[in-house]
Amino acid sequence: MSTEDLGPAKEAALAELRRQLDDKRAGMGLDKTQLARRAGVSRGTVHNVFAGPVPRAVTVTALARALRLDPDVLLALRRIAAGEAPAPAGAGVPGPAEDRLLFLFRAGSAVGSAVPLRSTGSERFEEFLEALRLIGLAETETAPLREIRTRLEQTDRAGLALLTAYAGVLDEVVSLIEKRTSRAEFRFFLVGKLLQGIALFAATEWPSAPDIEDARTELFYLSDAVDIPEELRAEVKGYCRVELPAAEQMTMFGEAERLSGAFHAIL
């Protein structure tokens, strides 16, 4: 199948497959010859992946492993591009359905820990955008976040106008996520957001953090509404009850990361 035979949805999936491979290749400092050697394929095969028809599944798997990418995500894109799976609903190209809750939890965690707002830690910001893409948001819909990020990196101190713009853009992204997920799915986004947000409140605003108790109460009851093991539910509730003297501020970050790891293990 040539690229001329692809419809818009298939073209988008093939373009996203190539983008993920090429971004990671460039990030690892590899040229295409080096990538071919690492993957155990010919340079011509690599060239065809980026400029030819839809690649074979075995080629995609070899390149994904060489670049330390998730083969399932790339194979899902390949199946859409090849017409072997239906194009997803919504504007973006989501990842495997079985990982959807994990993508939502990761995106919520990034929002709660203010990853989009930070002018450092670009790798975590890219992971946030990747989670949004895998949920199903198109690049045109996440572009404003990247624009805000670029502006933040160009200034030593974010002014009120920039922070207000950031809040507005993020609200729009969260609204899109909510529209494209079921209520049960969106709860996992909220759990990630609240889990990290509480730690951030404790570290940056305590003791004058008016929103922290509301967030703790919301997370406490939200833990009853998500399908997680009872042991993890009890730990989340304990996190919501912990006392917050100044000496414990950094402990909250550590606990939030530990609980996040537990969610990653079950989702």
Side-chain angles (χ1 to χ4, degrees):
M1 176 186 292
S2 71
T3 55
E4 294 177 356
D5 299 324
L6 301 178
K10 295 177 184 178
E11 286 181 355
L14 183 57
E16 177 64 12
L17 169 62
R18 288 170 171 169
R19 185 200 64 77
Q20 292 193 32
L21 288 170
D22 208 36
D23 282 359
K24 192 62 183 290
R25 177 195 64 78
M28 292 176 68
L30 301 173
D31 61 28
K32 291 179 180 177
T33 298
Q34 291 169 321
L35 173 57
R37 289 181 188 145
R38 182 181 286 238
V41 300
S42 71
R43 192 184 187 288
T45 296
V46 172
H47 172 79
N48 287 336
V49 167
F50 294 102
V54 177
R56 295 187 304 154
V58 65
T59 301
V60 172
T61 300
L63 293 179
R65 289 174 176 166
L67 293 170
R68 299 196 293 274
L69 290 168
D70 186 344
D72 289 339
V73 172
L74 298 184
L75 288 171
L77 291 169
R78 185 213 160 268
R79 286 193 293 271
I80 295 169
E84 297 170 5
V93 181
E98 63 268 22
D99 292 332
R100 188 169 175 80
L101 297 181
L102 178 58
F103 301 146
L104 284 162
F105 180 82
R106 286 177 177 173
S109 298
V111 172
S113 59
V115 163
L117 186 59
R118 297 178 185 176
S119 58
T120 57
S122 59
E123 183 175 345
R124 292 195 67 183
F125 177 68
E126 293 300 329
E127 290 173 355
F128 171 52
L129 291 187
E130 184 67 9
L132 296 181
R133 281 191 290 269
L134 292 171
I135 291 166
L137 272 65
E139 288 197 33
T140 54
E141 294 170 319
T142 60
L145 284 172
R146 191 178 289 282
E147 291 172 9
I148 290 282
R149 175 75 177 199
T150 299
R151 291 166 63 188
L152 284 169
E153 290 174 343
Q154 294 173 346
T155 182
D156 293 332
R157 184 174 181 179
L160 179 60
L162 186 55
L163 294 176
T164 301
Y166 157 78
V169 167
L170 202 54
D171 284 346
E172 291 177 7
V173 167
V174 172
S175 179
L176 285 172
I177 294 172
E178 186 171 12
K179 288 176 182 177
R180 295 186 189 158
T181 56
S182 68
R183 181 176 298 180
E185 288 175 332
F186 189 65
R187 286 176 183 142
F188 281 92
F189 173 87
L190 291 177
V191 168
K193 178 175 178 289
L194 290 167
L195 193 65
Q196 294 293 338
I198 289 166
L200 185 64
F201 284 144
T204 61
E205 298 184 33
W206 180 263
S208 58
D211 297 327
I212 193 168
E213 290 308 325
D214 288 342
R216 276 151 59 101
T217 299
E218 184 179 357
L219 180 58
F220 183 92
Y221 289 108
L222 186 60
S223 68
D224 285 322
V226 292
D227 184 15
I228 56 176
E230 286 301 322
E231 181 178 353
L232 179 56
R233 194 187 325 278
E235 291 183 347
V236 171
K237 289 187 173 183
Y239 173 75
C240 295
R241 292 189 181 114
V242 74
E243 294 185 14
L244 289 173
E248 298 296 327
Q249 290 172 6
M250 295 311 297
T251 302
M252 294 296 288
F253 269 126
E255 186 65 3
E257 289 301 314
R258 187 186 70 80
L259 290 173
S260 291
F263 273 94
H264 280 215
I266 66 167
L267 292 178

